[in-house]
Amino acid sequence: MTDHESDELSARDRAVLALERRQWTGPGAKERAIREELGMVPVRYYQILNALLDDTRALAHDPITVNRLRRVRESRREER
């Protein structure tokens, strides 16, 4: 759960953004890292990540990653 009363992102939220910044080579590498490093299933990871894209604290913490992912999300919505 994200604490909207605080001005800071949780450690989990920062870890999700950090993982999203990395480059992924082989198939399944990112999903494996999500499970091993964050201890969550990929579906939960993407739910958290999607919520972070709408969180102003995430934007302040990592504007490059958040803005890139917002553009990707918007282009996917336009394709539907």
Side-chain angles (χ1 to χ4, degrees):
M1 301 277 153
T2 304
D3 180 13
H4 289 288
E5 299 300 313
S6 170
D7 287 339
E8 260 185 56
L9 291 173
S10 68
R12 181 204 64 193
D13 291 346
R14 289 191 305 273
V16 166
L17 289 171
L19 194 121
E20 199 57 38
R21 275 194 301 274
R22 289 163 44 188
Q23 299 295 316
W24 302 102
T25 51
K30 183 177 182 181
E31 286 72 20
R32 197 164 38 256
I34 290 167
R35 285 189 172 92
E36 293 173 2
E37 296 174 27
L38 301 179
M40 64 178 74
V41 295
V43 168
R44 182 68 183 132
Y45 170 87
Y46 289 111
Q47 290 171 338
I48 292 166
L49 180 61
N50 195 48
L52 283 170
L53 297 185
D54 298 321
D55 190 325
T56 55
R57 295 168 304 160
L59 182 62
H61 176 76
D62 191 346
I64 293 171
T65 301
V66 171
N67 282 322
R68 175 179 57 84
L69 293 170
R70 283 177 173 179
R71 286 190 302 272
V72 169
R73 181 174 69 177
E74 190 56 35
S75 70
R76 287 186 179 150
R77 283 181 177 164
E78 290 171 2
E79 288 173 9
R80 290 181 191 160

